[in-house]
Amino acid sequence: MLSMVRVLMTTWGWRSHYYPLVPFAWALMAAGHEVRVATQPSLVPAVTSSGVPAVAVGPDLDFTEVFRGLANADSDGDASITADGGTVRYAAAMVDDLVGFGRFWQPDLVVHEPFNLAGAIAAQVLGVPVVKHLWGADFTELVPVDESVATGDLVTRFGLARLREESDLVLDPCPAAIQVPPGRSTRLPMRFVPYNGKAEHPAWLSEPAEHPRVCVTWGTLMSELDSSELFLAPKVVDALSGLDLDIVIATTPDKRPDFGPLPKNVRFADAPLALHLVLPSCAAVIHQGGAGTTMTAMAAGTPQLILPRIADQLFNAERLAGTGAGMVGELDTLAAQVGDLTAANRWSEAARLLAAGNASRPSPAQVVAELPELIGR
């Protein structure tokens, strides 16, 4: 194995984009490598609280303003990454500072999450290998980069003629049953290891549930949006509260007023509750279809009911439904769907198969041990 290397990881200023990268960052540091995570200022506390050094690059952007109309569009409001879309706006906000820090720190490798064009551009400018770290099923394969972006200001400002769209390596934490066929870049299988931020193991979680336990959660990003069209968790709880279920609500604490008075069989998790702690005890989980929640439930072997509202969530829901480990939900039929999900063995059996497949993949530590050789090749 090569000696210590410097790895510059970069992500947008969203916890949902950073959390899937954390186990790989831990594995790099545990192996003796140097790691920095470059992100927008608002995410710096989340990075440092995970035990990884952070570097603030660029200004924060208002998510709701950048992605206005999100409920009816994909991440860029189009079928491709366009010059006026949110992906390019986030890249433009970060890329100058990111390249500047890279020139100072001189990393040996850049790791970025999907859609983070700033990371791909920085690696190209610095002349170092670039690794794309997927969150789950590779939605980026369906969203090409528009020609005006590939040859536009984001790259020409650094003297480049064109964005290099292929990566030297793609870290793939998604079981083959969910994943789409590979594109131009080589994928390396890796186990998905959940990280859900700060967590406490509450006393009630050590006690058996009286009825099948169902978790209702809405992701790290959607839980923070003030939109009843996107944040459906209160409507889900209303639809299920009369059933013989023990319901656990896992959202951000400031969302508690949205749910109103709760019946005795519904528990709102006031303290931080990591999904990877609660989901193994659940007969089902109901959520929005974000990659982090979908993959955490997959690793736990928990059947899933997904109510997607944006394109990548629908993509995740349909990929999961194809495995038999969950289904795409509808508010009008929610009670019947949850009844089937918690009663029929076929859902839990398929979910356990997915979890076993994930557990058989190489751990982040094993991947890190091979990474210098793979990149050198």
Side-chain angles (χ1 to χ4, degrees):
M1 179 177 173
L2 298 178
S3 59
M4 180 272 293
V5 297
R6 288 184 166 183
V7 180
L8 176 59
M9 304 180 76
T10 182
T11 176
W12 290 357
W14 303 351
R15 289 178 297 150
S16 58
H17 281 209
Y18 172 62
Y19 283 177
L21 310 182
V22 172
F24 187 66
W26 287 343
L28 285 166
M29 294 191 298
H33 303 301
E34 285 193 62
V35 177
R36 301 289 186 273
V37 174
T39 188
Q40 289 156 309
S42 62
L43 192 67
V44 165
V47 176
T48 55
S49 68
S50 72
V52 185
V55 179
V57 292
D60 288 316
L61 299 182
D62 183 342
F63 167 82
T64 55
E65 190 275 326
V66 173
F67 289 105
R68 184 169 288 123
L70 188 64
N72 299 311
D74 65 19
S75 58
D76 282 284
D78 207 326
S80 63
I81 294 177
T82 58
D84 59 348
T87 295
V88 172
R89 291 180 64 180
Y90 267 89
M94 297 174 59
V95 69
D96 291 327
D97 285 356
L98 182 61
V99 169
F101 177 75
R103 285 170 170 161
F104 160 75
W105 196 56
Q106 294 293 299
D108 301 294
L109 176 69
V110 172
V111 177
H112 68 90
E113 37 88 359
F115 290 124
N116 190 334
L117 294 182
I121 293 167
Q124 193 172 349
V125 173
L126 298 172
V128 299
V130 61
V131 172
K132 180 165 66 174
H133 189 311
L134 300 179
W135 308 309
D138 192 2
F139 185 61
T140 60
E141 286 293 339
L142 308 180
V143 187
V145 177
D146 191 82
E147 185 68 15
S148 65
V149 175
T151 58
D153 175 67
L154 274 178
V155 293
T156 59
R157 71 175 71 177
F158 300 108
L160 303 174
R162 183 180 183 83
L163 172 69
R164 179 193 171 199
E165 295 183 52
E166 69 274 11
S167 303
D168 291 285
L169 190 66
V170 175
L171 297 181
D172 182 8
C174 187
I178 303 177
Q179 189 58 278
V180 298
R184 290 167 293 197
S185 305
T186 301
R187 287 186 188 153
L188 182 67
M190 185 173 70
R191 185 183 312 158
F192 179 82
V193 178
Y195 172 76
N196 308 122
K198 295 179 180 179
E200 297 178 15
H201 188 110
W204 58 263
L205 193 53
S206 301
E207 302 170 357
E210 183 177 351
H211 302 289
R213 179 175 288 152
V214 172
C215 179
V216 177
T217 186
W218 231 253
T220 56
L221 182 62
M222 292 297 157
S223 292
E224 297 175 1
L225 297 179
D226 186 20
S227 170
S228 60
E229 292 300 312
L230 294 175
F231 185 68
L232 298 181
K235 296 178 182 177
V236 169
V237 172
D238 285 344
L240 301 181
S241 58
L243 303 181
D244 289 332
L245 300 171
D246 284 350
I247 299 172
V248 177
I249 304 171
T251 67
T252 54
D254 63 335
K255 286 296 185 181
R256 175 61 184 87
D258 290 21
F259 293 88
L262 297 176
K264 291 182 179 180
N265 68 324
V266 179
R267 181 191 301 273
F268 188 93
D270 295 310
L273 180 62
L275 290 181
H276 71 270
L277 298 182
V278 69
L279 290 188
S281 71
C282 293
V285 56
I286 307 170
H287 61 96
Q288 85 292 358
T293 307
T294 303
M295 293 294 289
T296 299
M298 177 279 300
T302 306
Q304 306 179 48
L305 184 63
I306 302 177
L307 282 77
R309 283 298 178 270
I310 59 178
D312 65 314
Q313 296 172 359
L314 179 59
F315 168 78
N316 293 330
E318 291 177 340
R319 298 301 303 178
L320 177 79
T323 70
M327 63 177 83
V328 181
E330 294 289 343
L331 280 173
D332 293 342
T333 57
L334 195 64
Q337 288 183 299
V338 171
D340 186 23
L341 205 62
T342 56
N345 289 334
R346 68 183 186 278
W347 304 106
S348 56
E349 289 172 358
R352 283 193 294 267
L353 280 176
L354 274 183
N358 178 60
S360 70
R361 296 163 79 86
S363 70
Q366 291 171 304
V367 171
V368 164
E370 301 175 5
L371 190 62
E373 179 184 351
L374 289 166
I375 294 302
R377 240 189 282 158

